[in-house]
Amino acid sequence: MKATAQAHSNIALTKYWGKRDKKWMLPNNGSTSMTLDKFYTQTTVEFDEKYGTDEIILNGEKMAADSKEGKEIREHLDLIREMAGISTKTKVSSNNNFPTAAGLASSASGLAALSMAGAKAAGLNLDKKELSILSRRGSGSASRSIEGGFVQWLRGEDSEGKDSFAEQILKPEAWSEFRMIVNIVGTQQKKWKSRAGMAQTVATCPYYPMWKETAQNDSEQMTEFIKQKDFTKVGELAEFNALKMHATMITTQPMILYWQPTTVEIMHNIALWREEGLESYFTMDAGPQVKVMCLAKDESELIKRLHEIKGIQKIEVCKPGPAAKIIEEHLF
Ligand code: PMV
């Protein structure tokens, strides 16, 4: 009753922002993403009668039983227990190899790894579609971290989300020249976590209906552009879609402004360099980090220029990464 999984984080190319159903974690629109080779979570789950209560350790630190994150993880474990028809308590240990909750989609890799390890440890034999659905119920973006390469999460129509899962568009090796340069601008825990932030946007942003009307189509188009491996179209749409999402965040009451001065400085530079012929595009999520998309041929020139921007604390280059998997080495 013990298993360990490794799931990689993903960055959305067209975003998920807003739910149509909270309980089933169903999105208003489909989304697309690239799984990252460099950033991942490893999670070990053990179900055993020796545990009197669920014990959760994140990056070596025990989580307080009454913390919000602790509660969310316990609820997810309850879901797995319900599916497996067991009531056994667990020990969970999870490590991220990147900063938690700073806009690097730690919830995506974290909940995907928890779902995969938890399901296996509970004796459930789930296929990729079922694992994506289970992960979705922990965190929407986690549904996309079960698959590798380029991925689409289908909006679906079913009221209980049976058709809302993620599937692969392209294998990682099919577009291995694609680069996602992650520029770390700040690693402080953010004020608005995505779950609360998107609920507040849906409730108060006057422009949210515009997002709802257009985001589904953006994702369908993006899926086609990815299949065609049309970098210019992918980059242009990813940038536009990210700006549209941030436009709804900024016009939420109270405002949700994730950008730092360095975030904006990078955005200006990318646009300027593009005019000069160096092709790259930016995207941002629920944090100040800027992810810059380019092709392998422009990677070194871009990194050289990005290194000259003082506010950037760290630059990490990611390629399309692998699907989530069960690994043999346990964390405890
Ligand atoms: O699934 P969550 O709660 O981590 O929300 C993800 C929200 C964004 O990162 C902003 C967009 C996305 O599709 O990943």
Side-chain angles (χ1 to χ4, degrees):
M1 299 287 272
K2 185 174 187 176
T4 302
Q6 174 170 317
H8 291 244
S9 154
N10 72 75
I11 299 294
L13 297 170
T14 52
K15 312 292 183 183
Y16 149 56
W17 196 248
K19 294 176 184 44
R20 67 177 199 273
D21 186 293
K22 245 188 193 161
K23 174 176 179 231
W24 294 97
M25 203 73 98
L26 295 173
N28 274 326
N29 59 275
S31 54
T32 57
S33 58
M34 183 181 109
T35 302
L36 306 179
D37 63 338
K38 220 174 191 174
F39 299 136
Y40 58 81
T41 303
Q42 291 183 335
T43 302
T44 300
V45 179
E46 181 179 39
F47 288 92
D48 198 300
E49 301 297 343
K50 71 183 173 206
Y51 302 119
T53 123
D54 290 324
E55 200 180 300
I56 301 161
I57 300 157
L58 182 60
N59 293 323
E61 273 182 45
K62 209 170 162 176
M63 260 191 173
D66 53 356
S67 71
K68 210 168 159 212
E69 291 82 10
K71 207 176 139 245
E72 282 167 12
I73 292 174
R74 260 178 217 102
E75 280 171 12
H76 202 62
L77 292 167
D78 285 341
L79 208 64
I80 295 170
R81 279 189 279 255
E82 196 187 307
M83 288 169 77
I86 56 174
S87 55
T88 327
K89 298 291 180 200
T90 62
K91 179 171 175 180
V92 175
S93 180
S94 189
N95 288 337
N96 290 333
N97 71 341
F98 57 94
T100 303
L104 286 179
S106 59
S107 69
S109 54
L111 267 298
L114 179 69
S115 300
M116 190 176 246
K120 174 109 200 292
L124 292 166
N125 191 13
L126 305 186
D127 62 20
K128 271 191 174 171
K129 177 178 158 181
E130 292 165 321
L131 280 171
S132 174
I133 288 177
L134 174 61
S135 303
R136 184 201 79 216
R137 296 200 58 193
S139 176
S141 58
S143 66
R144 300 187 307 241
S145 271
I146 293 296
E147 265 299 359
F150 294 82
V151 178
Q152 66 167 328
W153 170 17
L154 304 165
R155 176 193 190 274
E157 297 298 330
D158 183 66
S159 61
E160 294 184 355
K162 292 188 188 74
D163 55 358
S164 186
F165 57 91
E167 56 186 23
Q168 192 173 60
I169 307 170
L170 277 186
K171 286 191 167 56
E173 44 303 352
W175 204 1
S176 56
E177 315 85 85
F178 201 102
R179 296 287 179 275
M180 189 74 78
I181 305 174
V182 179
N183 297 279
I184 311 278
V185 165
T187 53
Q188 275 184 329
Q189 294 251 340
K190 60 207 184 191
K191 204 165 138 201
W192 281 98
K193 294 230 165 148
S194 47
R195 188 168 304 186
M198 67 176 82
Q200 191 69 12
T201 303
V202 173
T204 68
C205 170
Y207 301 118
Y208 190 74
M210 167 282 297
W211 172 264
K212 233 173 113 172
E213 264 167 45
T214 60
Q216 175 62 22
N217 190 47
D218 285 357
S219 281
E220 288 169 16
Q221 269 204 312
M222 182 60 89
T223 301
E224 287 312 307
F225 296 160
I226 291 168
K227 280 184 190 158
Q228 294 158 11
K229 298 207 286 176
D230 187 328
F231 179 69
T232 300
K233 287 196 172 140
V234 166
E236 282 176 356
L237 180 55
E239 198 174 281
F240 177 58
N241 180 272
L243 288 169
K244 261 200 306 196
M245 176 181 72
H246 281 271
T248 70
M249 293 163 161
I250 293 166
T251 49
T252 291
Q253 292 161 308
M255 73 166 176
I256 303 177
L257 179 60
Y258 290 113
W259 301 350
Q260 292 297 325
T262 307
T263 311
V264 180
E265 194 181 342
I266 300 171
M267 290 157 67
H268 279 297
N269 277 297
I270 295 301
L272 190 73
W273 298 339
R274 203 156 62 213
E275 275 172 30
E276 294 168 10
L278 183 61
E279 191 180 13
S280 72
Y281 302 89
F282 58 77
T283 186
M284 295 85 61
D285 294 283
Q289 277 44 279
V290 184
K291 295 95 177 188
V292 175
M293 291 157 273
C294 72
L295 290 174
K297 65 180 171 60
D298 295 319
E299 178 188 327
S300 57
E301 178 61 26
L302 268 162
I303 288 177
K304 202 180 101 208
R305 295 189 191 193
L306 286 164
H307 269 299
E308 284 162 17
I309 299 176
K310 282 200 200 70
I312 301 180
Q313 297 169 5
K314 212 171 175 200
I315 298 174
E316 303 269 15
V317 183
C318 295
K319 297 178 190 165
K325 58 174 187 272
I326 292 291
I327 58 174
E328 297 309 319
E329 315 84 76
H330 299 306
L331 297 182
F332 59 89

